[in-house]
Amino acid sequence: MTHQQILDKLAAKHLTKSIDDDLATLTFYAMCYEKDLEKQLSYILPKLLNRWNCVLNASKISNNYKQKTTIALSVLLHKYGFKDDIINKRAIDAIDFLNKEVVLSDDFFRKSEEIKLFILSSPTPLKRKPSVPESVTFYRKGDVISIQLENYFYAAYIHSISGVNESPILEFYDGVFDKIPTWEELENLSAKGQLYNSGIERISKFSVYGLKHEPDTANQIQLIKACVDTPPANHHLEESVGLHSIIDLFKMQNDITNLFNPDR
């Protein structure tokens, strides 16, 4: 049995591909920074779960989708040479749940014990860095989106799309929310700038690679409104340093923290 054979049995192609892409990106950078597997995992796992906990902890996501996500996380961590005992235990429970609810095929049911043994087996560490997935986006200029990070929500306006549908160039609204904000809560907000050590707050835009699916398979990104002509006002901010920062979905976690909580 292979990783892909197990993933195919989940009948969730876009879900498993999204997690695979995320892990390929995170593993690539972890292997650039660290040689030790445990240190690589300590870099990967918090960033991965900051994104996929938006599924696992969401109240409005179906339980079946959550269980498939848990199994996919376990199998794909194994594929990239890692394991996490908590995720693996939850994956075993998820297999039992899906079988009890008769969600997947007879073949999944018949091979469940084999899948469990596979998940619990020792993974083989990668010998070389994985390829970073090609970047493509289905978001468009004028989209206003919500981005969840841990228990808070941030909103951003997409000014344009770089390259040939490669990455949205966005600017954040100056607001932090306990739930997905409405357009009415955002339309009169100005832009959030980056506060520099000099005390000057400057226009801050980001070209975000990996911001792909709409709707987002990880439930982290939500489209609030499309075709918005007017971006958040930033005339109160000083000129930016460069056009924009080039980041990915996971670097964006750090940038949101630095933008809204510079003292953390």
Side-chain angles (χ1 to χ4, degrees):
M1 181 168 288
T2 66
H3 298 97
Q4 192 57 52
Q5 286 171 336
I6 298 173
L7 296 172
D8 288 344
K9 295 181 195 307
L10 295 178
K13 180 177 69 173
H14 296 298
L15 165 66
T16 58
K17 181 64 167 64
S18 292
I19 298 175
D20 199 339
D21 285 352
D22 286 352
L23 266 168
T25 300
L26 286 168
T27 302
F28 175 88
Y29 288 111
M31 292 179 74
C32 289
Y33 302 144
E34 300 288 352
K35 301 299 182 185
D36 179 77
L37 279 175
E38 289 303 317
K39 289 182 179 179
Q40 289 175 9
L41 185 60
S42 68
Y43 171 86
I44 291 167
L45 203 54
K47 293 181 180 295
L48 184 71
L49 291 180
N50 269 342
R51 178 157 162 72
W52 288 94
N53 275 341
C54 299
V55 167
L56 300 178
N57 297 335
S59 59
K60 295 183 179 180
I61 298 291
S62 75
N63 208 6
N64 290 348
Y65 191 80
K66 291 180 182 181
Q67 305 309 322
K68 290 183 180 183
T69 299
T70 301
I71 296 170
L73 285 168
S74 176
V75 171
L76 285 163
L77 279 167
H78 192 280
K79 172 184 172 180
Y80 285 93
F82 305 105
K83 67 174 181 177
D84 179 79
D85 291 339
I86 294 175
I87 291 176
N88 285 348
K89 182 181 183 303
R90 291 176 179 171
I92 299 301
D93 293 341
I95 291 169
D96 291 338
F97 173 87
L98 293 175
N99 282 332
K100 181 181 178 182
E101 298 296 317
V102 196
V103 174
L104 297 174
S105 65
D106 289 343
D107 188 51
F108 180 85
F109 176 79
R110 286 193 299 269
K111 295 181 178 175
S112 291
E113 294 307 313
E114 188 178 349
I115 293 170
K116 291 177 183 179
L117 290 173
F118 188 96
I119 285 172
L120 296 175
S121 66
S122 296
T124 302
L126 298 185
K127 294 182 179 179
R128 59 182 181 182
K129 301 180 188 73
S131 300
V132 175
E134 182 180 4
S135 187
V136 64
T137 185
F138 296 105
Y139 291 90
R140 292 293 177 260
K141 177 182 177 181
D143 286 349
V144 175
I145 60 173
S146 166
I147 302 168
Q148 183 179 352
L149 182 59
E150 297 176 344
N151 296 319
Y152 296 101
F153 298 82
Y154 307 85
Y157 177 86
I158 296 178
H159 285 266
S160 59
I161 306 297
S162 70
V164 182
N165 296 329
E166 287 183 355
S167 66
I169 298 174
L170 55 82
E171 185 174 22
F172 284 92
Y173 289 87
D174 190 2
V176 181
F177 303 88
D178 294 324
K179 58 181 179 61
I180 298 171
T182 64
W183 170 242
E184 288 70 27
E185 292 175 298
L186 298 175
E187 59 181 333
N188 294 318
L189 288 183
S190 57
K192 177 65 176 174
Q194 178 67 60
L195 183 64
Y196 284 75
N197 292 334
S198 61
I200 296 173
E201 194 172 358
R202 296 184 178 276
I203 293 170
S204 190
K205 296 178 184 177
F206 304 89
S207 179
V208 186
Y209 283 79
L211 187 54
K212 180 177 180 180
H213 292 288
E214 202 295 294
D216 180 25
T217 49
N219 196 45
Q220 184 185 24
I221 317 297
Q222 302 285 343
L223 179 65
I224 297 173
K225 188 176 176 65
C227 303
V228 175
D229 293 328
T230 307
N234 59 18
H235 53 78
H236 62 292
L237 303 172
E238 297 295 325
E239 287 296 319
S240 62
V241 177
L243 293 176
H244 51 256
S245 299
I246 298 176
I247 60 174
D248 63 25
L249 268 177
F250 302 101
K251 176 67 166 60
M252 183 175 70
Q253 296 178 12
N254 297 333
D255 284 311
I256 288 175
T257 299
N258 292 334
L259 200 63
F260 290 90
N261 303 285
D263 296 327
R264 279 181 60 181

